Amino acid sequence: MKRRMALAALLVALSITGVHAEVTAITGARVHTVGPAGTIENGTVVFEDGRIVAVGAGVQVPQGARRIDGSGKIITPGFFTPMGQIGLVEVSAVEGTVDYVQRGDRFSASFDVASAYNPRSTLVPTNRIEGITQALIAPEPDGADELGNESKVFSGLASVVNLGDGGDFLIQRGVAVVVNLGETGSEVAAGSRAAAFMVLRTALDDARDYARNIPAFEQGNSRDYSLSQADLETLRPVLGGTRSLLVRVNRANDILAVARLASDYDIRLIVLGGAEAWMVADELAQAQVAVVLDALGNLPRDFDHLNSRLDAASILSDAGVRFAIGAHGAAQNHNARNIAQSAGIAVANGLAWEDALAAITLAPALIYGVEDRVGSLEPGKRADLVVWQEDPLELTSYPEQVYIGGEAIEMESRQTLLRDRYLQREGQKPPAFH
């Protein structure tokens, strides 16, 4: 009894005095908030318990706060890579380390890769030490396995994660259902683009019918649907407008076709890839279709990319299309950090610098519906920020420090450790023997 009373007294004392995480203030920096406050000269960012408390030029630093002098430095929000599989792959050529490929008939739209995310993946520190603090992790199709299981038009659910060390790595699960159209869709739909579109339309019709007849379905009055119940349940929020459809598509006429389909079903559409999206920019702006663009694409690596061009981001911006800058293939995982370079190249090809920074910070957050938590430096949002010595969009720039959830991460990765090891020149033996 006395022990319980003592514990209760301690809890009361703690509630009165307060137990708070350390308050940190970075002062005197140029702060690119990518929010309503714009760029702040001689600005201060204050954060506590993983959240931003205050941002501004005349911010009063709380007494007892840890002060960090940011004079002459630049602060930006953490970068957000809007396509890829960080944490779902280690070595692409080793199948046992690849967890993002959907195959088989049991699950397609409902295939959820978030459960396989590995926050200890070597790809996490490799990318975050160069400014990546958030990532979209998405499933992808691939060739049939040795048992003949094949990928489908629907690849599954994409989620948003942070690249911190804490256990709360999921920012938002299931933000979008991934669909494959165009050349990729043709490969997984019996060799026909038209077949891939029919699979998509039929699935949406089935999901709509299922939503109207759930009681009958649960009573055993089953219907002949093209997808499993789990897949149909996954598509219900898509039809309800609370989950997006993320469609891999590049050719202009395919983009317009899926935009018309999205309009028919009142669906929030995101184009992933969008090599020729610039050709239909006005139509996309009018339909409020977002684009996740591979901004380095300027070569016709296949017939869906014939009209790729480096100023595509600038054209989309001028038309009023909401877009984010990503990468393609291995560059979206092991080298996702290169989105800063992609944004810089977009600036060199006509995109405004501020819009380029937004395209790798706030724009992905807006596109995936997590802008209330990440993407800009505003009070109440996660303290995910990067301190730079030079222009963050310059190829040779490197972060001085990255904060994720208010925690200063270790600025090292497997690559930096190897670099430091092999730079050692002491003694007569090769570096491998040190």
Side-chain angles (χ1 to χ4, degrees):
M1 182 69 176
K2 290 182 179 179
R3 183 178 295 176
R4 287 200 297 269
M5 292 178 65
L7 177 61
L10 176 61
L11 292 174
V12 170
L14 290 174
S15 67
I16 294 173
T17 60
V19 176
H20 300 288
E22 181 183 48
V23 180
T24 302
I26 306 176
T27 63
R30 175 187 295 169
V31 182
H32 295 282
T33 68
V34 197
T39 298
I40 303 170
E41 299 293 343
N42 194 26
T44 295
V45 181
V46 181
F47 48 95
E48 178 185 12
D49 198 23
R51 299 284 171 180
I52 295 173
V53 176
V55 183
V59 171
Q60 185 70 34
V61 177
Q63 186 175 2
R66 177 180 175 232
R67 284 176 173 263
I68 299 173
D69 185 9
S71 300
K73 298 174 184 176
I74 298 169
I75 299 177
T76 68
F79 294 163
F80 188 148
T81 176
M83 57 169 77
Q85 295 84 31
I86 294 175
L88 300 175
V89 59
E90 291 296 328
V91 182
S92 302
V94 178
E95 188 172 350
T97 72
V98 177
D99 290 315
Y100 57 81
V101 176
Q102 180 281 327
R103 293 188 183 96
D105 296 323
R106 186 174 184 185
F107 304 108
S108 58
S110 58
F111 177 63
D112 188 356
V113 295
S115 300
Y117 176 73
N118 177 19
R120 297 174 181 84
S121 166
T122 59
L123 274 66
V124 171
T126 296
N127 285 290
R128 73 184 183 185
I129 64 172
E130 297 201 33
I132 304 290
T133 59
Q134 291 90 35
L136 182 86
I137 55 172
E140 280 194 0
D142 204 348
D145 62 17
E146 65 276 7
L147 300 178
N149 296 310
E150 297 179 338
S151 295
K152 303 298 179 183
V153 170
F154 288 96
S155 279
L157 285 163
S159 297
V160 176
V161 298
N162 74 74
L163 303 190
D165 290 323
D168 57 341
F169 56 83
L170 266 177
I171 293 177
Q172 186 67 49
R173 193 173 200 140
V175 295
V177 175
V178 180
V179 178
N180 306 296
L181 294 179
E183 188 167 305
T184 302
S186 174
E187 292 172 356
V188 295
S192 170
R193 295 171 191 267
F197 271 100
M198 289 184 66
V199 168
L200 174 57
R201 187 175 287 276
T202 299
L204 294 173
D205 286 339
D206 285 350
R208 179 185 287 172
D209 184 80
Y210 167 79
R212 294 169 177 167
N213 294 282
I214 291 177
F217 188 93
E218 292 177 343
Q219 292 172 9
N221 299 324
S222 60
R223 296 168 180 259
D224 186 18
Y225 290 130
S226 60
L227 298 177
S228 69
Q229 185 177 10
D231 291 344
L232 295 170
E233 285 285 353
T234 298
L235 288 175
R236 285 181 63 197
V238 173
L239 293 170
T242 57
R243 175 178 287 159
S244 297
L245 206 63
L246 180 61
V247 181
R248 286 191 180 92
V249 63
N250 286 287
R251 202 164 73 178
N253 66 302
D254 290 338
I255 293 172
L256 285 182
V258 73
R260 287 190 292 267
L261 182 145
S263 177
D264 291 344
Y265 290 87
D266 196 21
I267 286 172
R268 287 182 359 201
L269 175 64
I270 306 167
V271 168
L272 180 60
E276 295 186 350
W278 65 270
M279 300 176 68
V280 292
D282 291 337
E283 293 89 335
L284 294 179
Q286 185 175 0
Q288 296 184 341
V289 173
V291 177
V292 177
L293 180 70
D294 176 10
L296 287 182
N298 69 328
L299 295 174
R301 61 174 176 264
D302 56 41
F303 281 96
D304 279 4
H305 292 76
L306 286 178
N307 294 291
S308 299
R309 53 192 290 175
L310 286 176
D311 60 349
S314 176
I315 295 172
L316 292 175
S317 178
D318 290 344
V321 177
R322 175 167 289 165
F323 70 96
I325 289 176
H328 172 78
Q332 66 188 7
N333 298 320
H334 298 79
N335 292 314
R337 53 197 171 172
N338 290 343
I339 61 171
Q341 178 184 354
S342 299
I345 290 174
V347 173
N349 285 273
L351 185 64
W353 191 95
E354 294 79 6
D355 292 339
L357 180 61
I360 56 176
T361 54
L362 183 58
L366 287 165
I367 287 171
Y368 294 122
V370 294
E371 73 280 2
D372 59 329
R373 283 157 281 178
V374 299
S376 61
L377 302 179
E378 300 178 61
K381 289 193 176 183
R382 284 176 53 91
D384 298 333
L385 53 105
V386 188
V387 180
W388 307 82
Q389 288 279 8
E390 306 289 344
D391 183 341
L393 303 189
E394 285 290 341
L395 180 61
T396 57
S397 294
Y398 188 83
E400 180 176 295
Q401 183 62 61
V402 177
Y403 294 85
I404 301 180
E407 297 291 330
I409 67 163
E410 291 291 330
M411 297 296 289
E412 67 176 25
S413 67
R414 184 172 183 270
Q415 282 86 339
T416 64
L417 293 173
L418 286 170
R419 175 201 65 194
D420 295 343
R421 175 183 179 183
Y422 287 98
L423 281 175
Q424 298 174 19
R425 298 299 182 190
E426 298 177 3
Q428 300 301 314
K429 294 182 179 180
F433 289 87
H434 288 177

